[in-house]
Amino acid sequence: MKNIIPFMTRIPLHGDFEKVRHEIWAFPLLAVITSALPTLVLYFDFPLKNIITVLFLYFTIGLLHLDGLADFADGIMVKGDRERKIKAMKDLNTGIAGIFAVVMVLFIQVYSLNYAPFYALFISELNSKYAMVLALATRKPLGKGLGAYFMEAMNRKQLFIGSLIYIALLLPLVIYNQKVVFSILCLLIGAYVIKLSLDNFGGLNGDCIGAIAEITRAGTLLILAFVWWYL
């Protein structure tokens, strides 16, 4: 896991990039690290805690996935055939669809934290990271970028271990509060984004996987906010 931390976060550690793709199973474990500081802010109820929480989250994980979300949205929203959509996604300029997607994801996260429990950010990060594992398990790369690089090393063993870690981290919270079980359903959001990627682009690249991570996290927070508000 020591190699994946500097690759997936802004934590200044040294790792071997060649070994990163063999640690896909550890993605769910990253949620413990990436959500630690933001969750403390929520727990101690600082002023403007929602905004500070989201800022600390992206301070830890960086903006790579948000950038992928913007590119993904540009590709999804453009009209035309698959080739045109892929071209729009790979365009270096960010369009209005990408800007809108990023703003909405940020807004949903900040607003949802008003109603979700303080540990909801950990759950949402756990879902986000596990959704990335599921995306890589499709083994349907688009192009020869980072997505393909990771998918080449993805196998049943990594998926199985990653799934066990996901369950092990989520189960104590389900026991603590049965409402948490609804967070499992939130993985369907990630599954839907995977389907969108396959339908529109014919595969998944790094931008698609980044979008899956961002949308799954925001969707999880939104659904947990509804669950805590209404149940």
Side-chain angles (χ1 to χ4, degrees), residues 21 37 77-78 95 103 131 146 183 203:
R21 62 179 181 169
L37 188 57
M77 294 302 294
V78 73
V103 170
L146 281 176
S183 63

Side-chain angles (χ1 to χ4, degrees), residues 140-201:
K140 293 184 178 180
L142 175 63
K144 297 182 179 180
L146 281 176
Y149 178 76
F150 274 85
M151 287 183 192
E152 287 174 0
M154 188 62 185
N155 52 42
R156 292 181 179 179
K157 181 180 178 181
Q158 293 219 61
L159 177 61
F160 178 72
I161 297 174
S163 299
L164 284 182
I165 293 173
Y166 172 79
I167 294 170
L169 291 174
L170 188 63
L171 188 58
L173 289 174
V174 173
I175 295 173
Y176 174 72
N177 192 324
Q178 293 182 354
K179 292 181 183 179
V180 175
V181 75
F182 284 94
S183 63
I184 299 175
L185 299 176
C186 302
L187 290 175
L188 294 175
I189 298 171
Y192 178 68
V193 182
I194 292 173
K195 184 179 184 301
L196 275 180
S197 300
L198 296 176
D199 291 345
N200 284 270
F201 310 122

Side-chain angles (χ1 to χ4, degrees), residues 62-103:
L63 302 176
L64 183 62
H65 295 333
L66 270 182
D67 181 64
L69 170 64
D71 293 338
F72 171 84
D74 283 338
I76 289 290
M77 294 302 294
V78 73
K79 294 182 179 180
D81 57 17
R82 182 170 291 174
E83 287 70 26
R84 188 174 181 184
K85 287 177 175 292
I86 293 173
K87 183 179 179 180
M89 181 169 61
K90 292 184 176 181
D91 193 328
L92 295 179
N93 296 313
T94 302
I96 187 62
I99 295 172
F100 178 79
V102 169
V103 170

Side-chain angles (χ1 to χ4, degrees), residues 9-226:
T9 73
R10 296 182 68 254
I11 297 174
L13 297 176
H14 295 288
D16 187 343
F17 180 74
E18 295 299 322
K19 296 180 180 179
V20 170
R21 62 179 181 169
H22 299 293
E23 297 181 356
I24 297 172
W25 57 269
F27 276 25
L29 276 176
L30 283 173
V32 178
I33 299 171
T34 57
S35 66
L37 188 57
T39 300
L40 279 176
V41 174
L42 291 173
Y43 180 76
F44 288 109
D45 199 16
F46 287 101
L48 299 176
K49 63 178 181 180
N50 296 11
I51 295 175
I52 296 173
T53 294
V54 173
L55 286 175
F56 277 179
L57 172 66
Y58 287 105
F59 177 79
T60 304
I61 66 176
L63 302 176
L64 183 62
H65 295 333
L66 270 182
D67 181 64
L69 170 64
D71 293 338
F72 171 84
D74 283 338
I76 289 290
M77 294 302 294
V78 73
K79 294 182 179 180
D81 57 17
R82 182 170 291 174
E83 287 70 26
R84 188 174 181 184
K85 287 177 175 292
I86 293 173
K87 183 179 179 180
M89 181 169 61
K90 292 184 176 181
D91 193 328
L92 295 179
N93 296 313
T94 302
I96 187 62
I99 295 172
F100 178 79
V102 169
V103 170
M104 286 305 299
V105 161
L106 292 174
F107 174 78
I108 288 171
Q109 290 179 105
V110 170
Y111 189 75
S112 296
L113 289 171
N114 282 315
Y115 305 100
F118 76 90
Y119 49 84
L121 188 67
F122 166 71
I123 298 172
S124 65
E125 262 294 273
L126 183 60
N127 272 0
S128 173
K129 297 299 185 286
Y130 185 58
M132 294 173 70
V133 175
L134 296 179
L136 293 170
T138 63
R139 294 181 61 84
K140 293 184 178 180
L142 175 63
K144 297 182 179 180
L146 281 176
Y149 178 76
F150 274 85
M151 287 183 192
E152 287 174 0
M154 188 62 185
N155 52 42
R156 292 181 179 179
K157 181 180 178 181
Q158 293 219 61
L159 177 61
F160 178 72
I161 297 174
S163 299
L164 284 182
I165 293 173
Y166 172 79
I167 294 170
L169 291 174
L170 188 63
L171 188 58
L173 289 174
V174 173
I175 295 173
Y176 174 72
N177 192 324
Q178 293 182 354
K179 292 181 183 179
V180 175
V181 75
F182 284 94
S183 63
I184 299 175
L185 299 176
C186 302
L187 290 175
L188 294 175
I189 298 171
Y192 178 68
V193 182
I194 292 173
K195 184 179 184 301
L196 275 180
S197 300
L198 296 176
D199 291 345
N200 284 270
F201 310 122
L204 292 87
N205 63 4
D207 290 334
C208 298
I209 295 170
I212 290 163
E214 290 294 326
I215 295 173
T216 300
R217 185 194 313 111
T220 299
L221 284 174
L222 181 62
I223 290 175
L224 289 179
F226 272 104

